[in-house]
């Protein structure tokens, strides 16, 4: 101390892990890409980087969901704090909704409500974050898991998805990177960023591999039922009796309301392994020191889930099928881009770049930065999801905007093509 008890220097410093973790997120990478937009360009910016179709009228949510929110607010029954696990009617509605596709009926006690699927991911990674633990993530994959693992001091190890096999999990690579400190593996089904949908047979093999390794499966099913190809959606919880499964999901994508921030973490564990190992108790403890979804959103859940008609879901899927077809066909017209398989679910497709056909392009990030600057089109570089010199493109926008965006992408590639 100097100068009459005033410290000679400040003792506080920022947490350096946060900067590292933030740079891993899709939001962080897209922020970097969007900083290159030329605001002198009078054309509308076309967002092919972020999977949020809610901005487009053709993807507007059902009036039933909107009315449910209004009804919950006006009832004055949901102005109080909620229990840390969520209110019982909402948990019961979600348990019944998810049980439709499962061999074992879920209990409300298996359901924990979260602030979107994002908080569900935060909770389960925090719960598993014991010293020395590692978690297995797919490459390419959804980078938020990497970011949370880094933030919680959990080592991330990576297994491959195989593009030639419709992005199946390379189960040999799973076993090769696992060890006695591995606690879980993460799958995303339907796939982000690849647009794939795992078959029943493949998920059964994933479960057997998890059982062999003594780990649980975290199944990210935020895009559940958004499928439009040959493979129907199969929840990983079907195999909960083989290996314990933690399912994370939300109303964000199927109801097209990502800003409502209502998600869930669900235990699919008929044998009670997660209770026996105190994982369930730890989930509750984590929620006790965290925040909750807005209570009126929770209050609206039974109406949202119970009253939404199938024709709303069918309309959404029909538009996604149409835009997936447009994306796949237009990408075939671009010489420097290869699409290994047609998307069958979610809102994305992964495509490979051939930089040898382009001039003045260093890598996928440079490509996306220059594309944003020259054509006002925003695409996510593949390095943001674990694969350098690939691109992740979303087709969850209105068809006419998608056509324009892909035409601009083609023009950009022609402009930068190497001269013969």
């Amino acid at each position: 101390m100097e100068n009459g008890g005033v410290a000679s220097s400040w003792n506080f410093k920022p947490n350096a892990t946060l900067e590292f973790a933030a740079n891993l997120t899709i939001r962080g990478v897209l922020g970097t890409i969007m900083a290159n937009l030329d605001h002198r360009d009078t054309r509308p910016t076309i967002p092919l980087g972020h999977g949020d179709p809610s901005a487009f009228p053709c993807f507007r949510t059902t009036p039933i969901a909107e009315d449910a929110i209004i009804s919950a607010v006006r009832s004055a029954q949901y102005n109080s704090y909620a229990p840390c696990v969520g209110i019982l009617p909402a948990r019961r509605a979600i348990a019944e909704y998810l049980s439709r596709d499962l061999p074992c009926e879920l209990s409300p006690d298996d359901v924990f409500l979260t602030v979107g699927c994002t908080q569900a991911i935060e909770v389960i990674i925090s719960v598993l974050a014991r010293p020395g633990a590692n978690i297995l993530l797919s490459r390419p994959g959804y980078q938020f898991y990497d970011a949370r693992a880094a933030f919680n001091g959990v080592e991330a190890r990576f297994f491959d998805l195989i593009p030639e096999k419709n992005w199946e999990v390379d189960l040999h690579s799973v076993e090769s990177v696992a060890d006695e400190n591995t606690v879980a593996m993460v799958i995303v089904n339907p796939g982000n960023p690849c647009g794939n949908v795992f078959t029943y047979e493949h998920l059964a093999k994933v479960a057997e591999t998890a059982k062999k390794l003594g780990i649980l499966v975290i199944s990210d099913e935020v895009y559940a039922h958004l499928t439009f190809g040959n493979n129907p959606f199969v929840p990983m919880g079907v195999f909960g009796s083989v290996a314990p499964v933690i399912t994370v999901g939300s109303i964000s994508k199927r109801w097209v309301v990502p800003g409502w921030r209502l998600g869930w973490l669900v235990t699919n564990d008929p044998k009670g392994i997660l209770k026996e190992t105190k994982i369930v108790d730890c989930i509750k403890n984590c929620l006790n020191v965290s925040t909750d979804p807005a209570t009126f959103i929770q209050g609206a859940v039974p109406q949202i889930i119970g009253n939404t008609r199938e024709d709303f879901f069918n309309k959404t899927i029909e538009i996604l099928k149409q835009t997936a077809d447009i994306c796949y066909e237009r990408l075939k017209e671009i010489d420097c881009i290869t699409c290994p398989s047609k998307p069958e679910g979610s809102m994305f497709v992964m495509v490979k770049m051939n930089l040898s056909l382009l001039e003045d392009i260093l890598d996928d990030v440079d490509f996306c930065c220059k594309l944003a600057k020259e054509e006002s089109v925003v695409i996510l570089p593949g390095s943001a999801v674990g694969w350098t010199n690939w691109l992740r493109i979303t087709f969850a926008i209105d068809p006419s905007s998608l056509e324009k965006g892909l035409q601009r992408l083609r023009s950009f590639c022609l402009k930068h093509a190497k001269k013969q």
Side-chain angles (χ1 to χ4, degrees):
M1 292 286 188
E2 298 176 358
N3 302 325
V6 178
S8 58
S9 63
W10 298 107
N11 294 328
F12 51 81
K13 294 182 179 179
N15 182 347
T17 305
L18 280 174
E19 181 179 3
F20 174 74
N23 288 334
L24 290 173
T25 65
I26 288 173
R27 281 184 177 181
V29 175
L30 284 176
T32 299
I33 301 302
M34 292 177 70
N36 291 273
L37 289 168
D38 185 349
H39 298 291
R40 295 168 299 180
D41 190 340
T42 57
R43 296 175 297 176
T45 299
I46 298 181
L48 302 182
H50 204 294
D52 183 359
S54 62
F56 299 95
C58 64
F59 283 105
R60 182 168 176 170
T61 192
T62 171
I64 287 170
E66 297 169 346
D67 292 343
I69 295 290
I70 294 168
S71 176
V73 172
R74 287 182 171 166
S75 74
Q77 296 178 25
Y78 305 105
N79 295 336
S80 304
Y81 292 120
C84 69
V85 296
I87 66 172
L88 180 58
R91 290 186 290 122
R92 180 182 293 115
I94 291 167
E96 292 172 356
Y97 167 66
L98 297 177
S99 294
R100 299 173 193 171
D101 302 315
L102 298 172
C104 299
E105 187 171 344
L106 294 170
S107 158
D109 292 337
D110 297 317
V111 178
F112 305 88
L113 300 190
T114 57
V115 185
C117 192
T118 299
Q119 190 194 18
I121 296 169
E122 293 173 356
V123 168
I124 191 56
I125 299 295
S126 298
V127 164
L128 297 173
R130 60 172 171 76
N134 67 71
I135 188 168
L136 309 185
L137 308 175
S138 67
R139 184 175 284 161
Y142 181 48
Q143 293 292 85
F144 190 75
Y145 287 95
D146 305 36
R148 286 309 306 186
F151 182 75
N152 286 101
V154 176
E155 179 190 359
R157 298 184 178 184
F158 298 93
F159 59 86
D160 295 322
L161 301 182
I162 309 171
E164 297 81 13
K165 293 187 176 181
N166 202 23
W167 301 103
E168 285 188 351
V169 174
D170 184 342
L171 296 172
H172 295 294
S173 76
V174 171
E175 294 192 38
S176 69
V177 296
D179 64 14
E180 68 277 4
N181 291 317
T182 303
V183 292
M185 67 178 291
V186 176
I187 63 168
V188 183
N189 182 44
N192 175 10
C194 302
N196 59 297
V197 181
F198 292 131
T199 65
Y200 180 97
E201 293 75 17
H202 187 62
L203 290 173
K205 294 176 182 177
V206 170
E208 290 295 341
T209 301
K211 178 181 179 181
K212 178 180 178 180
L213 297 173
I215 63 177
L216 63 85
V217 180
I218 301 170
S219 186
D220 187 323
E221 298 175 5
V222 74
Y223 295 97
H225 295 287
L226 292 181
T227 62
F228 34 83
N230 294 324
N231 296 329
F233 167 67
V234 178
M236 190 68 206
V238 167
F239 306 98
S241 59
V242 178
V245 174
I246 297 285
T247 300
V248 297
S250 76
I251 64 172
S252 297
K253 307 300 183 180
R254 199 177 187 203
W255 275 269
V256 204
V257 287
W260 290 10
R261 312 310 298 146
L262 191 286
W264 52 76
L265 183 156
V266 175
T267 57
N268 296 271
D269 183 34
K271 294 184 177 178
I273 296 168
L274 298 176
K275 288 183 179 178
E276 181 183 328
T277 55
K278 306 297 183 183
I279 293 294
V280 171
D281 289 340
C282 197
I283 290 170
K284 294 176 183 177
N285 292 337
C286 189
L287 290 170
N288 262 322
V289 294
S290 187
T291 189
D292 317 317
T295 312
F296 69 88
I297 299 284
Q298 297 186 43
V301 164
Q303 279 186 258
I304 292 173
I305 288 179
N307 297 343
T308 301
R309 296 187 293 268
E310 281 299 314
D311 60 353
F312 166 73
F313 298 132
N314 293 339
K315 177 189 173 186
T316 301
I317 290 171
E318 186 56 39
I319 298 171
L320 287 174
K321 183 179 187 303
Q322 178 186 356
T323 54
D325 289 345
I326 290 170
C327 197
Y328 186 66
E329 294 301 323
R330 295 296 175 268
L331 290 170
K332 287 180 182 178
E333 300 170 0
I334 304 175
D335 291 340
C336 64
I337 290 177
T338 302
C339 184
S341 60
K342 188 174 184 178
E344 295 189 333
S346 81
M347 301 175 175
F348 308 99
V349 63
M350 281 289 286
V351 298
K352 187 176 183 178
M353 300 168 55
N354 185 347
L355 291 181
S356 68
L357 299 178
L358 298 172
E359 287 183 342
D360 304 322
I361 301 294
L362 299 176
D363 55 23
D364 57 321
V365 176
D366 187 44
F367 180 97
C368 291
C369 287
K370 289 176 177 173
L371 176 66
K373 183 177 181 179
E374 297 175 23
E375 297 290 346
S376 293
V377 174
V378 177
I379 286 178
L380 188 74
S383 54
V385 294
W387 271 20
T388 302
N389 295 334
W390 286 64
L391 304 171
R392 188 196 76 169
I393 300 174
T394 182
F395 46 83
I397 71 173
D398 75 78
S400 63
S401 295
L402 180 62
E403 290 271 16
K404 292 174 184 174
L406 295 173
Q407 179 57 49
R408 291 190 208 172
L409 173 62
R410 183 171 182 271
S411 297
F412 175 84
C413 292
L414 288 172
K415 184 167 62 175
H416 288 271
K418 282 187 176 177
K419 305 300 183 287
Q420 296 298 322

